Amino acid sequence: MERDGENDGVDATLSALATEIADAERVVALTGAGVSVPSGIPPFRGESNGDGPDPVWNTHDPADFHRRRFDADPERFWTDRLSLRETLYGGGVEPNAAHEALATLEARGHLDALLTQNVDGLHAAAGSESVVELHGTSARVVCDRCGATQPADPVWERVREGERPPTCDCGGVLKPDVVLFGEPLPDEGFDRAQRAARRCAVFLAVGSSLTVRPAALLPEIAAESGGTLAVINLDPTEYDERADYDIRADATEALPALVAALDG
Ligand code: ZN
């Protein structure tokens, strides 16, 4: 949106989209890493480009965070996870303008469900309520034996002090309440997401490359059910051809502009 000559096109597209959202019975959004990156959270994949932080998987080995590693060596899993956590959230992270805009859309009755691939908890922190965290949340840990969950922060304190792996009162090993490599998406969240995608009149895919399945199937479900598909992303996605609105822009600029257009 900062590029000269493209502003008018993006503005016109956003205002047409805003009109459609204002008239829509149900609107659903799906967010990916592109919504978290402006909060200072590095992307997981991609090229190092010099000005942003290195993609996480360029500096950490995804195999260290696989379910098999958790089962085989939970002590070292948690040690590596602590390092990963510092990389992701070390500077302390806050919701950005994209999170705020989505919370505003919901508060004004223009957003019925917010599906996210992100595990940083920033949508909830921004005040969004109808959030479906498809890959879980790093704000909680879950006992691998009894299934009880608890807030993650006090557990991270124990991990920093050397309790590795941290354990539940029942003696079971605690696990971050996120979907690890090698684990399926929880059925309940994905079922809710599929239902929301099927029923919506407008589906907004924001800051996601739409390549990580099964979450990437959701725009297709929405489009096949007759929903309008809008893609807001800095880079091309595989849905650009099929999208009714293909908006190549940063979510922190496009979403506040969309909220402003709805007000206008
Ligand atoms: Zn337990």
Side-chain angles (χ1 to χ4, degrees):
M1 287 178 66
E2 292 170 337
R3 285 159 293 187
D4 289 343
E6 293 190 10
N7 269 340
D8 290 350
V10 171
D11 287 349
T13 307
L14 283 172
S15 95
L17 176 58
T19 303
E20 210 164 323
I21 287 174
D23 294 340
E25 187 77 17
R26 295 180 64 81
V27 179
V28 169
L30 167 70
T31 62
V35 169
S36 295
V37 168
S39 283
I41 298 173
F44 285 92
R45 298 176 181 77
E47 304 290 322
S48 303
N49 62 15
D51 32 277
D54 271 338
V56 173
W57 301 139
N58 291 6
T59 56
H60 292 73
D61 183 356
D64 290 343
F65 305 99
H66 197 280
R67 174 71 208 200
R68 277 194 303 270
R69 179 84 178 318
F70 175 82
D71 290 331
D73 193 346
E75 179 183 347
R76 283 174 58 203
F77 171 92
W78 273 95
T79 297
D80 289 335
R81 197 86 199 175
L82 183 59
S83 157
L84 179 70
R85 184 178 175 82
E86 292 301 325
T87 299
L88 288 172
Y89 312 127
V93 293
E94 301 287 339
N96 61 52
H99 298 105
E100 307 283 357
L102 288 164
T104 301
L105 280 181
E106 182 188 358
R108 295 188 186 165
H110 294 306
L111 185 65
D112 298 281
L114 177 48
L115 322 174
T116 187
Q117 297 170 281
N118 301 331
V119 298
D120 47 51
L122 290 179
H123 284 304
S128 286
E129 289 175 5
S130 304
V131 184
V132 179
E133 293 169 313
L134 293 163
H135 296 181
T137 176
S138 57
R140 283 192 311 261
V141 297
V142 59
C143 173
D144 199 43
R145 182 187 292 171
C146 74
T149 60
Q150 55 183 297
D153 281 345
V155 173
W156 280 110
E157 275 313 305
R158 287 156 50 190
V159 170
R160 275 190 202 92
E161 286 163 12
E163 185 188 334
R164 301 179 199 171
T167 53
C168 176
D169 289 344
C170 81
V173 174
L174 295 174
K175 187 185 89 78
D177 197 7
V178 301
V179 178
L180 301 179
F181 293 116
E183 288 184 326
L185 289 198
D187 285 342
E188 193 196 331
F190 194 64
D191 287 349
R192 270 180 74 195
Q194 281 182 288
R195 272 198 305 279
R198 247 193 313 272
R199 293 174 57 198
C200 72
V202 178
F203 190 96
L204 280 176
V206 188
S208 171
S209 60
L210 301 174
T211 50
V212 179
R213 288 171 197 279
L217 297 172
L218 295 167
E220 187 169 333
I221 292 170
E224 281 175 358
S225 309
T228 293
L229 180 57
V231 174
I232 299 174
N233 201 47
L234 267 178
D235 299 313
T237 77
E238 63 179 87
Y239 278 95
D240 292 350
E241 298 285 312
R242 298 181 58 183
D244 300 285
Y245 298 89
D246 174 22
I247 299 166
R248 205 62 59 75
D250 190 300
T252 58
E253 294 172 14
L255 288 175
L258 184 63
V259 170
L262 271 160
D263 284 341

